[in-house]
Amino acid sequence: MNDDTRFHATCPHCGATNRVPAARVDEHPVCGRCAKPLLDGQVLALSDADFDAVLMATDRPLLVDFWAAWCGPCRMMAPAFAQAAQQLGERALLVKVDTDANLQLAQRFAIRSIPTLVKIVQGREVARTSGAVPAGAIVQMAQG
Ligand SMILES: [Zn+2]
């Protein structure tokens, strides 16, 4: 694993695209342009290239939303997932993975229908659910 792996994060305050070192995902990185918190309460969009580096760097439970742009229920659930990320704050890391663009992850997690939520704790899958779920259920799954 390359320690210099970075992932892309769009600043929720100014819209700037930042390339964040995966190793620093739990260190409250700030935006390079406006210096405001970049990730607090945000959903991270990860890919085949950076998923494992983030997974290894975080101490938090990871809740991964496997989705695709053409999937209606996925688009319906996106606001609930974002809302859950805000509610959870630092208690969990909420991640979305586009299954069309990231075939390795989709295959590795044997994603057969979307949306599918997978909870990972210390590198191991501990829970999974398929189909759109409301924000309250997402928060519960992340904490449970
Ligand atoms: Zn910014």
Side-chain angles (χ1 to χ4, degrees):
M1 185 60 60
N2 183 351
D3 287 343
D4 296 331
T5 301
R6 290 167 183 256
F7 62 91
H8 288 92
T10 303
C11 176
H13 309 286
C14 74
T17 298
N18 286 251
R19 291 180 69 243
V20 184
R24 294 192 51 220
V25 68
D26 277 359
E27 297 173 17
H28 304 285
V30 295
C31 175
R33 185 197 283 171
C34 72
K36 289 179 180 160
L38 190 58
L39 304 180
D40 293 1
Q42 300 299 314
V43 175
L44 272 55
L46 297 183
S47 70
D48 285 342
D50 50 34
F51 183 88
D52 281 308
V54 171
L55 183 63
M56 290 200 301
T58 187
D59 290 328
R60 291 177 276 177
L62 218 70
L63 198 61
V64 188
D65 172 18
F66 288 94
W67 72 287
W70 50 263
C71 159
C74 299
R75 290 198 304 271
M76 274 173 50
M77 193 175 80
F81 199 64
Q83 190 187 332
Q86 295 241 312
Q87 282 181 31
L88 286 157
E90 293 179 25
R91 286 174 286 169
L93 198 58
L94 267 59
V95 169
K96 62 179 179 178
V97 169
D98 181 341
T99 52
D100 280 353
N102 301 287
L103 300 176
Q104 288 177 26
L105 285 169
Q107 189 171 33
R108 178 167 134 203
F109 286 93
I111 303 302
R112 290 188 180 82
S113 69
I114 50 174
T116 287
L117 287 179
V118 175
K119 182 181 179 182
I120 302 167
V121 176
Q122 289 169 344
R124 288 181 36 223
E125 177 177 338
V126 296
R128 142 178 328 219
T129 186
S130 289
V133 289
I138 297 168
V139 169
Q140 225 166 26
M141 185 177 175
Q143 291 182 306

